[in-house]
Amino acid sequence: MVFALCFGRETGDFLHRTGFFVSQRIFGPGDLLWSWKKTYLLSMPPRTLAHNQTCQVWVHDTETGQDQLVFETQDLLLEAPNWTLRGDALILNGDGRLWRLSFDDPRLIPIEIEGLPPANNDHVLHPNGREIFVSTYDNWQIYLAPLRGGRAVQITGNAGPQGLRNFLHGVSPSGQELAFVGVQVDQSGGKETFASAEICLIAADGRNFRQLTNAGVPADGPEYSPDGQWIYFNTEQFSGHAQIARMRPDGSGVTRLTFSDTVDWFPHLSPDGKLALYLAYPENTRGHPADKRVKLRVVRDGDWMNACTAVELFGGQGTINVNSWSPDSHRFAYVAYPVTGNGGA
């Protein structure tokens, strides 16, 4: 998802680089309470690199434990790598566009898509490997576009609540259904404020909208298991901070998977279902901001209680917002954003 919840850090530079929501602090007795009210900021530009910051695209091998630097730049902030079905390239977003990064010739090639508003960091390949579903800024809808370029087709906007913001995270194994975060805003009082973020499903033709969660707290990152029997996601419903859970595609069987003090986001299962990956923020982190010391944790054979840290890095928002596993299930891609001179290496 492309927003961050920013508590007490409403600086222009921080917002420009991290997202769309600013939390408003409500002072009460003892000055201890935070409100759920978040001011919704419209027309934010795509994220950019800070001064002395570098964008690095890496691949981690879960069998050897080695990390390979694939590409780095100080000119463009890239996010959310998807691995192509052939395994020969990564697809990333940056500056509102989609880019192809080939392993054989690691340079960025723009994917020319007509009729697509600026792309954000929520994009997932169609299981056929020839198309990609993309969430966008501006109108907050989901589109389907040819991976080689061409004209995009809008999917969402006709079913579901009016004015719903749509942030894609999962595509069913058949390619016939999408899992996304539906964000509703309150437009009363002359401004827009955050109302809810729930897990929703919709058919790939834009029909049959369904809302799965109604917990009243933020939920995010919904992604199908490879067999389509589960939807994995992160939610604050258990402990007041994000933890990984799963449920059936009909919303039943909600089960908590992580029991940690860390703030856990974006569960991604490998194509063979034997491994899982998620991002762990430090304790007390709000939302999924950028520019934090974070850990990428790997789960083997469904043993969520004994996840192991595979990578520690400076990043967060944009690092693994969407599934970045290789087709062979042995490797995953991620993005780091080190900053020279401030400890963010």
Side-chain angles (χ1 to χ4, degrees):
M1 204 169 183
V2 295
F3 62 79
L5 305 181
C6 316
F7 284 70
R9 297 186 63 184
E10 296 94 334
T11 65
D13 180 62
F14 183 77
L15 288 172
H16 180 69
R17 290 186 283 116
T18 60
F20 297 89
F21 289 92
V22 179
S23 296
Q24 294 182 325
R25 192 172 184 180
I26 305 299
F27 294 92
D31 188 25
L32 295 176
L33 299 178
W34 297 86
S35 81
W36 282 102
K37 186 176 182 182
K38 289 104 180 168
T39 301
Y40 191 69
L41 304 179
L42 297 177
S43 301
M44 289 292 292
R47 292 174 57 207
T48 59
L49 293 168
H51 180 63
N52 289 335
Q53 188 168 34
T54 301
C55 175
Q56 297 178 334
V57 181
W58 293 82
V59 167
H60 178 83
D61 190 315
T62 61
E63 294 186 334
T64 66
Q66 294 182 339
D67 293 272
Q68 177 187 359
L69 179 61
V70 177
F71 182 81
E72 65 179 342
T73 177
Q74 292 185 321
D75 298 322
L76 180 65
L77 191 149
L78 299 165
E79 300 178 292
N82 300 129
W83 214 299
T84 61
L85 195 59
R86 295 176 57 184
D88 60 344
L90 298 173
I91 307 299
L92 306 101
N93 67 281
D95 196 29
R97 308 181 69 177
L98 293 181
W99 303 83
R100 179 184 177 90
L101 180 63
S102 172
F103 290 112
D104 291 337
D105 182 13
R107 57 191 176 93
L108 292 174
I109 304 298
I111 301 175
E112 303 295 344
I113 301 175
E114 301 175 21
L116 184 72
N120 62 43
N121 57 23
D122 296 327
H123 41 81
V124 183
L125 266 66
H126 191 290
N128 64 22
R130 301 186 302 273
E131 298 170 294
I132 186 168
F133 294 97
V134 187
S135 293
T136 61
Y137 298 119
D138 294 349
N139 65 352
W140 315 107
Q141 301 298 333
I142 298 172
Y143 290 75
L144 177 65
L147 193 56
R148 291 186 176 182
R151 177 160 291 278
V153 176
Q154 184 173 329
I155 302 296
T156 55
N158 293 321
Q162 185 176 5
L164 190 71
R165 271 68 168 173
N166 306 271
F167 299 89
L168 175 72
H169 280 276
V171 179
S172 67
S174 67
Q176 297 302 305
E177 191 173 64
L178 310 180
F180 66 98
V181 183
V183 174
Q184 291 184 312
V185 297
D186 181 0
Q187 297 182 336
S188 61
K191 62 180 180 180
E192 295 189 335
T193 54
F194 174 88
S196 65
E198 303 287 359
I199 306 302
C200 304
L201 303 182
I202 198 168
D205 62 5
R207 297 182 291 182
N208 194 25
F209 169 89
R210 290 182 288 151
Q211 180 178 319
L212 298 187
T213 60
N214 291 280
V217 296
D220 210 313
E223 186 171 300
Y224 293 87
S225 60
D227 61 7
Q229 297 300 304
W230 295 96
I231 291 177
Y232 288 73
F233 64 109
N234 55 265
T235 176
E236 296 184 11
Q237 73 181 81
F238 302 112
S239 57
H241 66 280
Q243 295 284 272
I244 307 301
R246 71 177 187 176
M247 61 184 166
R248 296 294 187 181
D250 64 1
S252 66
V254 176
T255 304
R256 182 176 178 177
L257 298 174
T258 58
F259 296 78
S260 62
D261 293 330
T262 56
V263 178
D264 302 336
W265 278 77
F266 301 135
H268 304 309
L269 269 67
S270 60
D272 64 7
K274 295 180 180 180
L275 300 176
L277 171 71
Y278 67 92
L279 187 148
Y281 281 100
E283 185 178 355
N284 297 321
T285 302
R286 295 290 184 171
H288 59 100
D291 300 343
K292 295 285 187 180
R293 293 297 305 178
V294 299
K295 298 178 180 179
L296 300 183
R297 312 207 73 198
V298 171
V299 176
R300 296 182 182 274
D301 298 318
D303 188 4
W304 288 84
M305 297 297 292
N306 291 295
C308 297
T309 298
V311 182
E312 296 188 39
L313 68 142
F314 192 69
Q317 171 73 300
T319 293
I320 57 163
N321 286 53
V322 292
N323 195 302
S324 62
W325 282 101
S326 63
D328 64 11
S329 297
H330 296 159
R331 296 163 292 165
F332 61 82
Y334 63 93
V335 186
Y337 307 96
V339 179
T340 303
N342 77 337

